Amino acid sequence: METGSPHAAGATGADRATGPEETAGAERASGPEGATGPEGATGPEGAAEPAWIALPPGLLRMRRLLLVVWLGLVTLAAGLVPGLLAGPVWALFALPPLALAVWGWVMIERNWRSWRYAERADDLLISRGVLWREETVVPYGRMQLVEVTSGPVERHFGLASVQLHTAAAATDATIPGLDPAEAERLRDRLTELGEARSAGL
């Protein structure tokens, strides 16, 4: 009886060490959530999104200036000439081009905000459009020519465009209104990736 009591007490202590609460705690520590953490990087929420790059504001300023110049001339011609020749009432013809200028001022900004691009591992994404969204996927392996262009107006505002020519004409694309340094960097980067993909590297 005396030798059995310590054994029984030891068994009882072991039962307390491995009781239901401790067992459940061990399961929680070694369960799937403990190994990877809740909502880990391998889950659907951990999928990486493209790093979109927006166009610089210089393109917006250039397009708005062109809008004001052209529609301003049309407004003056539509209102001033008839008003001088036929009477003040005919100057109301200036209202339609003026309303068009106001509408264009707003839409130009919305269109500028819709432009963006992203460099991914295997392709370049270009997204644009206000009413109808359009997204172009340009695989690096299909690029045949990447060039930087800059017209007189673009040079005045310090802007340049990147034109992408691929094996399929449907995937040709242009990114307008970039800073010249960014345009050259993008050209060199895409050319390097295109040559590497074509060589099978």
Side-chain angles (χ1 to χ4, degrees):
M1 294 296 294
E2 294 178 356
T3 58
S5 298
H7 178 72
T12 306
D15 291 341
R16 285 197 300 269
T18 59
E21 293 80 7
E22 286 79 1
T23 304
E27 290 177 355
R28 285 195 298 270
S30 61
E33 292 80 359
T36 60
E39 303 298 332
T42 56
E45 292 80 0
E49 290 292 331
W52 292 104
I53 303 175
L55 298 185
L59 179 64
L60 176 62
R61 292 193 296 267
M62 182 189 73
R63 290 180 172 177
R64 279 182 166 175
L65 178 62
L66 294 176
L67 174 72
V68 170
V69 169
W70 288 110
L71 285 183
L73 294 175
V74 172
T75 302
L76 288 176
L80 186 60
V81 175
L84 293 176
L85 297 179
V89 179
W90 294 92
L92 295 176
F93 279 106
L95 292 180
L98 183 60
L100 182 61
V102 174
W103 177 80
W105 184 276
V106 176
M107 292 304 297
I108 283 177
E109 181 176 1
R110 293 185 60 187
N111 179 266
W112 166 73
R113 291 185 182 277
S114 71
W115 275 87
R116 56 183 184 169
Y117 63 96
E119 301 174 58
R120 299 197 301 184
D122 299 317
D123 49 43
L124 177 72
L125 295 181
I126 302 175
S127 179
R128 60 197 178 276
V130 178
L131 298 179
W132 288 273
R133 296 290 300 176
E134 182 178 352
E135 190 169 285
T136 303
V137 181
V138 185
Y140 297 139
R142 292 191 175 185
M143 291 184 184
Q144 295 181 332
L145 177 64
V146 182
E147 57 182 352
V148 176
T149 62
S150 182
V153 180
E154 286 181 311
R155 288 198 302 270
H156 177 75
F157 284 88
L159 301 175
S161 299
V162 174
Q163 293 185 353
L164 311 173
H165 303 276
T166 64
T171 57
D172 288 354
T174 301
I175 305 177
L178 296 176
D179 294 328
E182 170 63 12
E184 293 178 2
R185 183 204 68 82
L186 190 59
R187 177 198 60 194
D188 297 340
R189 172 69 174 167
L190 297 179
T191 301
E192 178 184 356
L193 290 173
E195 292 175 353
R197 295 298 189 276
S198 298
L201 299 179

